[in-house]
């Protein structure tokens, strides 16, 4: 968990350009693949998941994140509170790991 900062600043930080990290952006009210489907297809070595504020990301924030390599994802059909969405995301990551899609030596690093 990062310290609070404006999303625009976070997108400009150097760690966001890592080629080994898959960056996901939790979105609502958009067509996006489910996080679990993405992870079962390919579980990366490290993961960044950006969970938006209550009320969701603005269109400008979504476009900026996509421009720097974030993949929009869904956490399901229900709109979750900001406090519960990270728990759901971590549960989906754990489910992908336990499904055997990754060896125990390749447990992802999560940002």
């Amino acid at each position: 968990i990062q310290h609070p900062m404006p999303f625009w600043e976070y997108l400009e930080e150097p760690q966001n350009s890592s080629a080994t990290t898959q960056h996901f952006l939790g979105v609502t009210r958009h067509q996006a693949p489910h996080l679990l489907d993405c992870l079962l297809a390919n579980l990366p070595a490290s993961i960044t998941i950006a969970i938006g504020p209550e009320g969701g990301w603005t269109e400008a924030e979504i476009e900026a994140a996509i421009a720097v390599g974030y993949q929009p994802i869904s956490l399901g059909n229900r709109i979750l509170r900001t406090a519960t969405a990270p728990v759901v995301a971590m549960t989906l990551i754990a489910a992908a790991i336990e499904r055997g899609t990754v060896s125990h030596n390749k447990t992802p690093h999560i940002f």
Side-chain angles (χ1 to χ4, degrees), residues 39-88:
L39 297 174
L40 291 175
N42 178 32
L43 189 61
S46 61
I47 299 169
T48 298
I49 300 178
I51 303 294
E54 295 291 335
W57 300 107
T58 66
E59 287 301 318
E61 290 169 329
I62 293 170
E63 290 172 14
I66 291 170
V68 297
Y70 277 74
Q71 176 184 346
I73 52 94
S74 168
L75 295 176
N77 293 332
R78 292 169 184 78
I79 295 177
L80 304 170
R81 296 188 60 89
T82 299
T84 56
V87 175
V88 170

Side-chain angles (χ1 to χ4, degrees), residues 8-71:
W8 306 104
E9 281 181 33
Y10 179 76
L11 291 178
E12 294 172 359
E13 287 196 352
Q15 82 269 4
N16 287 319
S17 61
S18 171
T20 62
T21 300
Q22 176 67 49
H23 303 284
F24 296 110
L25 181 73
V27 296
T28 57
R29 300 177 200 85
H30 288 83
Q31 288 295 97
H34 196 283
L35 176 61
L36 185 57
D37 294 335
C38 294
L39 297 174
L40 291 175
N42 178 32
L43 189 61
S46 61
I47 299 169
T48 298
I49 300 178
I51 303 294
E54 295 291 335
W57 300 107
T58 66
E59 287 301 318
E61 290 169 329
I62 293 170
E63 290 172 14
I66 291 170
V68 297
Y70 277 74
Q71 176 184 346

